[in-house]
Amino acid sequence: MSDPFPHEVDEALWDEACRRAEAVREFLKNRPGKMTAGDVALLATELAISRATAYRLIKLFRAGGTVMSLVDRRRGRPDGHRVLDDQREEIIRTTISRYYLTRNRPTVSQLVRDVQTNCMSAGLKPPHRRTIKARLEDIDLQKRAKRRGETES
């Protein structure tokens, strides 16, 4: 995951990172030698974080030495990030378009089986059911209704 630039960081997160950086800087300045678990516990209490997080912040600050190194980042994949290869994405897209976005659409379970069968026929590992459902949910509701022949009543 790439690090954000300071102007891309939420102001509240930046302020918290500055507060943490100042506390960690003072902590390290006052303890040039070894630090004890009790010292780290005091830092954790001062910052209202767990002791494990305090150790992590110290490690990050020693490695980076900047406020940016202490900015909280969201965990996991960014929203909208896809990990499937293009071939499987295309199989999902065409199967949904050809079979699901029709008047006589199959159930989601049948769609999942069709996608998995098409992937196995192409010699690819089939995607998980949740992946296929996520692609269905990404389709605009109006587009979905129009393709199925549904009209506003």
Side-chain angles (χ1 to χ4, degrees):
M1 181 166 33
S2 64
D3 288 340
F5 293 108
H7 65 277
E8 295 174 340
V9 177
D10 179 68
E11 192 172 333
L13 288 176
W14 181 256
D15 291 342
E16 179 62 17
C18 289
R19 185 178 79 83
R20 287 178 172 187
E22 185 58 36
V24 171
R25 189 178 292 117
E26 284 299 314
F27 175 82
L28 293 174
K29 188 168 71 173
N30 294 333
R31 290 163 190 83
K34 284 198 168 216
M35 57 187 171
T36 66
D39 294 338
V40 176
L42 287 173
L43 176 66
T45 303
E46 177 186 338
L47 293 174
I49 55 176
S50 70
R51 199 167 5 156
T53 301
Y55 276 109
R56 193 167 37 256
L57 291 179
I58 292 167
K59 181 180 176 184
L60 285 169
F61 193 76
R62 281 182 172 160
T66 65
V67 175
M68 280 305 296
S69 63
L70 302 183
V71 172
D72 270 342
R73 291 177 181 80
R74 289 185 64 200
R75 303 290 183 246
R77 291 188 188 118
D79 291 338
H81 180 76
R82 302 288 190 220
V83 293
L84 286 184
D85 56 278
D86 292 338
Q87 286 180 298
R88 290 190 290 174
E89 286 288 354
E90 184 59 30
I91 289 172
I92 293 171
R93 218 177 355 265
T94 56
T95 306
I96 288 173
S97 180
R98 191 173 297 148
Y99 300 110
Y100 191 77
L101 296 179
T102 61
R103 281 186 199 275
N104 299 325
R105 70 181 182 277
T107 62
V108 173
S109 294
Q110 182 60 45
L111 174 71
V112 169
R113 283 192 296 274
D114 290 346
V115 168
Q116 290 174 340
T117 301
N118 292 341
C119 284
M120 287 188 282
S121 298
L124 301 170
K125 182 178 179 227
H128 193 275
R129 172 187 184 84
R130 286 188 308 248
T131 303
I132 299 167
K133 282 193 73 169
R135 299 314 185 267
L136 278 178
E137 291 165 4
D138 287 347
I139 299 171
D140 181 52
L141 287 175
Q142 289 181 329
K143 177 183 175 188
R144 198 181 326 178
K146 184 178 177 186
R147 288 284 306 271
R148 290 183 189 157
E150 297 171 3
T151 57
E152 290 185 35
S153 300

